[in-house]
Amino acid sequence: MSGEHPTPSEAVLRVQRGDATESKLVEYRVPVEPGMVVLDAIHWIQAHRAPDLAVRWNCKAAKCGSCSAEVNGRPALMCKSRMDHFKPDAPIEVRPMKTFPIIKDLVTDVSWNYEVNKRIAPFQPRAGAEWRWKQSDVDRAQEFRKCIECFLCQDVCHVLRQHEMKHQFAGPRFFVRIAGLEMHPIDAGDRIGHLRDHAGLGLCNITKCCSDVCPEGIHITDNAIIPLKERVVDRHYDPLRWVWDRIRGVPAAGA
Amino acid sequence: MEKYETREHDVLVVGAGGAGLRAAIEASAQGASVGLVTKSLLGKAHTVMAEGGIAAALGHVDTQDGWETHFQDTMKGGSFLNHWRMAQIHAQEAPDRVRELEQWGALFDRTPDGRILQRAFGGHKWKRLAHVGDRTGLEMIRTLQDRGVHQGLEVYMECTLTKLFVVGGRIAGALGYWRESGRFVVFRAKSIVLATGGIGKSYSITSNSWEYTGDGQALAYEAGAELIDMEFVQFHPTGMVWPPGVQGILVTEGVRGEGGILRNSAGERFMWKYLPENRRHEYAESEDEARRWLEASVAGKQTDARRPPELSTRDNVARAIYTENREGRGTPHGGAFLDISYLPAERVKRKLPSMYHQFLELADVDITKQAMEVGPTTHYMMGGIRVDPDTAASNVPGLYAAGEAAAGLHGANRLGGNSLSDLLVFGRRAGAAAAAYATSITATLHIADDEIEAETRDLLAPFGRSGGESPFEVHRALQVLMQAQVGIFRTASDLEAAVEALAGLNARAARVAVEGSRLFNPGWHLVRDLRNMLMVSEAIARSAALRRESRGAHSRLDYPNLDPASSEFNTCIVREHGAMKLTTLPLAPMPADLKALFEAKSPVAQS
């Protein structure tokens, strides 16, 4: 049993404590056992030092996406952050996700994400479709459906993190969700206009930070965002299609 | 008294896992105004951790399958304590519920001819589990979540309910607090569906999340509902046992369904020894036959070979691993080896991607090259709120229950894959019946202020105490007690001692103190959860003491055999004059046409 470093008997955690009005890093010394993850250390602090330490978690197996935080400055699931992957003699710093308003300690207000989701047109099967398809037809969409909604991609995305453009940008999580719907073998919904005009797909300049932090290894940029960008371009910026649409009397895009 | 918010709905659904979401979608589709309350964020409920699949007799892989066999398997798996009518409805309706989920956007794995693929699981005679790799629960909850948000439900996230109000013998509403702010909220409702899940956090080794504190069972009990079969707690045979930080985390039964072999420290494939005599004929009798079964399974072909012994029921496999350890043939960390590394690595990664990553990242084990080390973990509660099989109604008018919080479908032991189908079948029925009941009522009932005030005062009391213990300490003591004395193997003396110790823990819990403010305070939240866990634990221990036999998940060292007289009743807990009263209820007699399904056939015909 070993990670990158041998398991020391004790670790120091510096955990952000506080609410929207004020917060600071508080240091805790925590006994360490083999295979321990940062979430275990947070639970030890809760049980022995600070029972009011606020943290979200559910499955502890990287399946529910509840325990997102920033560990040593990197957005990560605490249940997947092995203690023995950090330098044994340096404190481990644990902060809440920066992109969302803080509620208390490591818990942030992620309700905005749920509002964004409601505006996405739901699954709509093609009329008369046969409910049979090959495994290869679903493999592509299943990649996107692995998303556990940890919102780490939303946290790291600079459009949301630095530029705070939540009002006009849905963020990588919801491009993944839309890609999952668009690539469903028999979905007939149309989300291309929404992607351009409301979800702000054009604001993404494909830096791939979102793909880097995804705990499910979804190729968010390459497999979801770029193909969706291509669909938007095909629909709205293809000059031949533009002329053809005008001839057929289709209203201009975004109207 | 401080001010509180009030919300009003026809139907209030408590719990947003598979059962709660399906109930809320149905009630809303029937035209009711629906509020859906969840302790966590939406989409995080335990259903996301269900991995291996959803049981439904679609007959896509094994064409012989049908609802009758699913019904038989479920009754046999539950050792015939199941309510026959629930098992019948479940087996008959599960295929439609799976197809419906697909029509709402779920993407299941496919057969070569393009239909929903099905895999093998313990106790199921045929390959019956529709699945999506090993993340079936996530697919299910996401599909329901996305369906629900377009259905006009009002979702109240991170809200804990602590009391149900009953006025004139009928449900009137509930009180709770927002976890974020600690402020109180009263929900006025004509009917309530409890879909709060299980009780696993009463044990120290568990696959369950912090939410599994028996809230629904305790809320219902305090409102006057009957709880049945509380002695039947399922210990899933395969949880992770090493390293300590991951102990208890689930290893899907899909590993065994895909060919995983269990061995002890001597390398012996021990499950052959533990097959129950009366069902031995259903399993392969040699390594060769088990291998032929697997080869056919991998190729998607039918075969005469019978399934491997690892696909025995969960209660049986859990006891086998436990016994191997007790007799000195366990692994270094007290479990068994589960090996699937003999299959091609690509197949393992494709069929069990989450397991591959889980072991690689949390335990440094590459399951395509090495065996996993696994052992029993507290997983599922078969007992719970007694409900009417057709409507999911409890004995309290206006109160309904579905999913793990309800009882009756699974009897003494649940078959893998039957919980996801349970959630959909009875979630839908509960939602429909709760909506119908709500429409039959003209107005919500008035809840007296002093009842609300008494509850809020009680909730805030731990803040004012000084010098009390931390609730985390009492919780830890409860988990150790339940694991040691009300675990896989039970005895009269252990159970009696446990009941006595629980009284002591109740007294300690009544004196715990809370630090900090009401803002998102897990210590404070645990105080109420603890009260629920203590109530449920007492119900488990008392019911277990009454059942003097070994049946399904309930194993008594002092009564190792089935007792024919105990085949006739369910245990029943009800609150009377503030105290826990334990009785028995006779089983509902099975109609002749269903009974005929079990009439003796030759072993050959059954295999």
Side-chain angles (χ1 to χ4, degrees):
Chain A
M1 261 358 292
S2 67
E4 287 169 24
H5 302 283
T7 305
S9 57
E10 194 178 67
V12 175
L13 267 81
R14 304 181 71 202
V15 183
Q16 182 171 319
R17 301 290 319 266
D19 54 28
T21 52
E22 65 170 332
S23 64
K24 59 178 182 196
L25 287 174
V26 178
E27 205 165 282
Y28 300 95
R29 305 185 84 80
V30 177
V32 177
E33 55 181 7
M36 196 163 156
V37 293
V38 170
L39 183 61
D40 295 320
I42 295 291
H43 281 156
W44 188 91
I45 295 168
Q46 222 177 30
H48 298 92
R49 297 286 179 269
D52 61 337
L53 170 59
V55 61
R56 283 196 186 105
W57 72 282
N58 286 67
C59 75
K60 214 182 160 288
K63 292 189 176 67
C64 76
S66 298
C67 63
S68 305
E70 298 187 6
V71 184
N72 282 353
R74 184 181 164 80
L77 294 177
M78 284 186 276
C79 72
K80 233 181 146 182
S81 303
R82 291 263 296 264
M83 298 289 279
D84 55 9
H85 283 198
F86 300 100
K87 282 188 197 150
D89 45 358
I92 299 168
E93 204 170 277
V94 189
R95 295 176 182 271
M97 288 192 286
K98 180 175 179 279
T99 293
F100 305 107
I102 189 160
I103 293 173
K104 189 182 144 188
D105 303 337
L106 301 175
V107 174
T108 57
D109 178 0
V110 293
S111 57
W112 166 76
N113 294 286
Y114 291 88
E115 296 307 313
V116 174
N117 191 36
K118 281 184 198 165
R119 293 194 285 270
I120 295 170
F123 171 64
Q124 196 191 319
R126 201 170 54 237
E130 199 186 348
W131 294 82
R132 282 197 186 214
W133 43 75
K134 294 198 180 83
Q135 184 64 35
S136 55
D137 297 334
V138 294
D139 283 344
R140 198 160 58 141
Q142 281 185 346
E143 176 186 2
F144 309 123
R145 302 183 64 88
K146 286 195 304 189
C147 171
I148 55 174
E149 294 202 329
C150 61
F151 303 132
L152 289 173
C153 59
Q154 305 286 78
D155 182 44
V156 81
C157 173
H158 59 96
V159 182
L160 298 169
R161 189 179 176 100
Q162 271 91 34
H163 305 295
E164 299 186 1
M165 296 172 86
K166 291 198 187 79
H167 55 294
Q168 48 184 308
F169 186 68
R173 156 58 189 142
F174 297 100
F175 299 137
V176 164
R177 165 136 164 71
I178 291 171
L181 287 162
E182 289 284 311
M183 294 175 202
H184 189 292
I186 62 159
D187 176 71
D190 183 354
R191 301 163 194 91
I192 301 301
H194 178 78
L195 275 170
R196 191 188 80 152
D197 302 327
H198 303 289
L201 182 67
L203 291 167
C204 165
N205 52 12
I206 54 176
T207 55
K208 301 199 181 186
C209 320
C210 51
S211 306
D212 287 346
V213 298
C214 178
E216 282 294 320
I218 301 170
H219 298 93
I220 302 176
T221 317
D222 290 341
N223 292 355
I225 294 179
I226 291 174
L228 289 177
K229 276 179 178 270
E230 284 166 356
R231 289 187 185 202
V232 171
V233 169
D234 285 351
R235 167 82 59 88
H236 293 289
Y237 303 104
D238 178 345
L240 290 176
R241 178 165 178 140
W242 189 87
V243 171
W244 177 240
D245 282 351
R246 290 298 80 72
I247 294 166
R248 289 166 62 224
V250 175
Chain B
M1 177 171 58
E2 75 170 39
K3 286 201 175 121
Y4 54 84
E5 282 175 58
T6 304
R7 305 295 172 104
E8 188 161 338
H9 289 283
D10 295 327
V11 179
L12 187 69
V13 178
V14 193
L21 275 164
R22 189 63 190 83
I25 289 168
E26 193 63 24
S28 189
Q30 307 283 333
S33 138
V34 178
L36 178 60
V37 178
T38 159
K39 283 213 286 190
S40 282
L41 296 172
L42 186 58
K44 309 298 181 191
H46 224 299
T47 308
V48 303
M49 280 81 97
E51 293 158 345
I54 175 166
L58 294 157
H60 287 179
V61 176
D62 288 333
T63 49
Q64 310 94 316
D65 201 11
W67 77 262
E68 294 92 343
T69 330
H70 193 183
F71 168 76
Q72 286 171 310
D73 289 347
T74 301
M75 293 297 298
K76 285 186 202 168
S79 213
F80 291 90
L81 285 193
N82 332 47
H83 196 301
W84 62 268
R85 177 64 183 150
M86 278 184 96
Q88 181 191 28
I89 290 171
H90 169 255
Q92 287 174 334
E93 294 185 358
D96 278 346
R97 297 286 77 74
V98 171
R99 282 188 279 265
E100 177 178 72
L101 207 62
E102 179 167 80
Q103 283 153 15
W104 291 353
L107 274 174
F108 291 99
D109 285 353
R110 316 310 292 183
T111 60
D113 65 347
R115 299 189 295 167
I116 294 173
L117 181 62
Q118 297 180 276
R119 69 158 47 123
F121 245 47
H124 291 282
K125 187 168 181 181
W126 307 115
K127 294 184 200 76
R128 187 175 282 150
L129 274 84
H131 61 277
V132 186
D134 54 7
R135 52 164 196 84
T136 313
L138 175 65
E139 184 73 12
M140 177 165 145
I141 207 157
R142 205 63 87 223
T143 303
L144 292 173
Q145 179 184 342
D146 291 333
R147 177 86 184 178
V149 297
H150 292 286
Q151 182 91 44
L153 311 173
E154 191 74 50
V155 182
Y156 302 104
M157 292 200 275
E158 300 198 309
C159 179
T160 297
L161 297 190
T162 65
K163 187 179 173 64
L164 303 183
F165 296 111
V166 178
V167 176
R170 291 186 358 222
I171 282 295
L175 182 133
Y177 58 83
W178 304 111
R179 301 176 67 80
E180 180 182 324
S181 65
R183 298 282 156 200
F184 297 120
V185 53
V186 169
F187 292 93
R188 287 157 53 83
K190 295 173 185 168
S191 57
I192 291 181
V193 179
L194 294 172
T196 52
I199 58 95
K201 286 310 275 185
S202 299
Y203 289 81
S204 51
I205 300 174
T206 178
S207 65
N208 290 182
S209 85
W210 67 272
E211 294 191 277
Y212 271 49
T213 53
D215 297 7
Q217 292 87 339
L219 286 168
Y221 167 77
E222 288 182 3
E226 292 167 334
L227 306 180
I228 60 165
D229 291 344
M230 294 297 281
E231 65 273 30
F232 295 112
V233 178
Q234 180 169 79
F235 299 90
H236 194 294
T238 61
M240 293 175 81
V241 294
W242 181 261
V246 300
Q247 199 176 35
I249 294 177
L250 193 65
V251 177
T252 174
E253 192 167 323
V255 176
R256 281 174 286 138
E258 296 293 340
I261 292 174
L262 284 165
R263 294 188 194 280
N264 61 20
S265 57
E268 188 190 3
R269 189 172 184 175
F270 58 82
M271 276 312 299
W272 304 106
K273 284 190 298 189
Y274 294 95
L275 294 172
E277 276 313 313
N278 61 346
R279 303 197 67 179
R280 191 173 283 275
H281 62 273
E282 296 175 17
Y283 296 89
E285 59 185 13
S286 65
E287 296 269 353
D288 180 59
E289 188 178 354
R291 190 180 44 75
R292 281 191 291 116
W293 180 92
L294 181 64
E295 278 166 7
S297 180
V298 169
K301 290 182 183 150
Q302 292 192 18
T303 174
D304 293 339
R306 291 162 296 180
R307 57 190 191 260
E310 280 79 11
L311 289 174
S312 179
T313 51
R314 287 178 174 179
D315 52 342
N316 202 38
V317 181
R319 269 191 307 271
I321 295 176
Y322 196 92
T323 306
E324 286 295 306
N325 276 278
R326 225 175 27 177
E327 295 175 0
R329 295 183 299 275
T331 61
H333 305 105
F337 293 115
L338 176 60
D339 187 15
I340 197 155
S341 66
Y342 66 95
L343 287 175
E346 280 318 302
R347 178 176 167 84
V348 173
K349 286 186 203 172
R350 193 175 75 248
K351 301 303 285 185
L352 302 161
S354 306
M355 287 305 105
Y356 172 70
H357 288 289
Q358 183 172 309
F359 272 90
L360 199 62
E361 284 160 16
L362 299 177
D364 297 326
V365 168
D366 181 345
I367 66 169
T368 67
K369 298 194 176 92
Q370 297 159 267
M372 294 159 253
E373 219 183 319
V374 297
T377 180
T378 314
H379 184 57
Y380 187 88
M381 184 53 160
M382 270 73 70
I385 302 160
R386 188 170 80 86
V387 291
D388 174 76
D390 289 85
T391 63
S394 76
N395 58 303
V396 178
L399 185 62
Y400 299 78
E404 195 174 347
L409 170 59
H410 308 294
N413 173 50
R414 173 174 71 78
L415 296 185
N418 269 1
S419 69
L420 292 188
S421 40
D422 173 11
L423 305 183
L424 294 175
V425 168
F426 293 101
R428 172 178 160 276
R429 280 180 170 261
Y437 177 87
T439 357
S440 74
I441 304 279
T442 48
T444 48
L445 297 159
H446 175 74
I447 304 165
D449 275 348
D450 57 347
E451 271 206 73
I452 294 169
E453 193 176 352
E455 177 62 13
T456 57
R457 206 171 40 230
D458 201 27
L459 283 168
L460 293 175
F463 281 109
R465 281 187 208 122
S466 57
E469 274 185 288
S470 154
F472 289 95
E473 281 173 41
V474 184
H475 183 209
R476 188 70 207 151
L478 170 68
Q479 291 182 312
V480 171
L481 172 75
M482 291 300 284
Q483 192 75 37
Q485 292 185 293
V486 198
I488 295 189
F489 284 105
R490 300 156 176 187
T491 63
S493 57
D494 275 356
L495 293 170
E496 278 160 29
V499 170
E500 202 167 308
L502 283 166
L505 288 177
N506 264 309
R508 280 169 68 184
R511 294 192 301 266
V512 293
V514 164
E515 288 174 28
S517 73
R518 282 165 68 181
L519 195 68
F520 212 115
N521 187 334
W524 178 45
H525 300 163
L526 182 58
V527 177
R528 195 44 157 243
D529 292 346
L530 186 57
R531 191 175 114 162
N532 296 340
M533 283 185 273
L534 283 162
M535 181 265 135
V536 168
S537 297
E538 187 182 339
I540 296 169
R542 285 187 188 278
S543 306
L546 186 141
R547 187 168 285 283
R548 294 187 186 92
E549 63 165 348
S550 290
R551 180 186 296 268
H554 173 67
S555 300
R556 290 280 300 258
L557 287 173
D558 44 357
Y559 296 96
N561 301 315
L562 275 175
D563 170 19
S566 303
S567 307
E568 312 293 322
F569 66 83
N570 299 114
T571 58
C572 177
I573 295 271
V574 70
R575 193 169 186 235
E576 213 171 81
H577 309 300
M580 197 174 278
K581 187 185 158 203
L582 177 60
T583 57
T584 59
L585 295 175
L587 296 190
M590 198 186 291
D593 56 332
L594 293 180
K595 225 179 203 168
L597 292 172
F598 299 99
E599 272 158 21
K601 290 178 190 163
S602 73
V604 177
Q606 278 195 359
S607 65

